Amino acid sequence: MRKPKSLSASSGNADETEAAFYDALQQGDIEKLMACWSDEDEMVCVHPGGSRLVGPGAIRSAFDAMFANGSLRVQPLKVHRVQALGASVHNVLERIEILTDEGPRHAYVVATNVYVLTAQGWRMVTHHASPGSLHELQEVSESPVLLH
């Protein structure tokens, strides 16, 4: 039986777990980052242009490899949330600072983070990220003309 993980931040809601996730990325802290994840063997992570990673071992290895180069300067800019029953789905526009030979540059990523309410609080079960752009700041949505 696995011991329950605790978050460095309060795990009272999915927003707090998400804040702890992005804080762990910025600190390059693998233990804090993995504490945000569920203990489920079927949790999934997809990084931009990467393969689907299934399970805590694969996910931890991928983030360990990323942190080998230092922390990640990732800032969530815009979040759209949908919450129902014991799940919360966050679509996040992330701005990532990348150091290049010409100095720091920004790249954008669109991520979907899925959280479920567990006995230990809200935990991430999916992080799926794709390349994005600054144009993502302008959302396109259609409002229904007729409600019924």
Side-chain angles (χ1 to χ4, degrees), residues 6-148:
S6 62
L7 295 175
S8 57
S10 167
S11 57
N13 62 46
D15 289 339
E16 291 171 357
T17 302
E18 185 158 88
F21 174 75
Y22 284 104
D23 186 55
L25 286 174
Q26 292 169 10
Q27 291 180 25
D29 188 324
I30 192 68
E31 297 305 325
K32 286 182 182 178
L33 183 116
M34 293 309 296
C36 297
W37 285 88
S38 156
D39 285 333
E40 298 297 318
D41 290 333
E42 298 303 317
M43 57 193 200
V44 176
C45 181
V46 179
H47 293 122
S51 301
R52 182 173 62 163
L53 307 168
V54 179
I59 292 169
R60 183 184 187 102
S61 292
F63 280 106
D64 269 336
M66 281 191 233
F67 291 161
N69 297 319
S71 63
L72 302 176
R73 294 179 172 249
V74 179
Q75 179 183 11
L77 296 180
K78 200 171 199 178
V79 180
H80 177 76
R81 296 167 185 83
V82 176
Q83 188 165 338
L85 303 172
S88 187
V89 179
H90 297 195
N91 184 265
V92 184
L93 176 62
E94 302 172 348
R95 183 178 71 199
I96 301 173
E97 185 177 294
I98 301 168
L99 295 177
T100 68
D101 292 338
E102 294 82 33
R105 298 284 188 248
H106 290 119
Y108 296 88
V109 170
V110 178
T112 300
N113 299 324
V114 180
Y115 302 90
V116 295
L117 185 56
T118 71
Q120 291 78 38
W122 288 92
R123 294 295 186 267
M124 182 179 280
V125 293
T126 300
H127 172 73
H128 186 268
S130 299
S133 70
L134 189 56
H135 299 289
E136 305 293 338
L137 283 171
Q138 299 172 350
E139 291 182 353
V140 177
S141 76
E142 295 182 27
S143 299
V145 177
L146 184 62
L147 293 176
H148 297 282

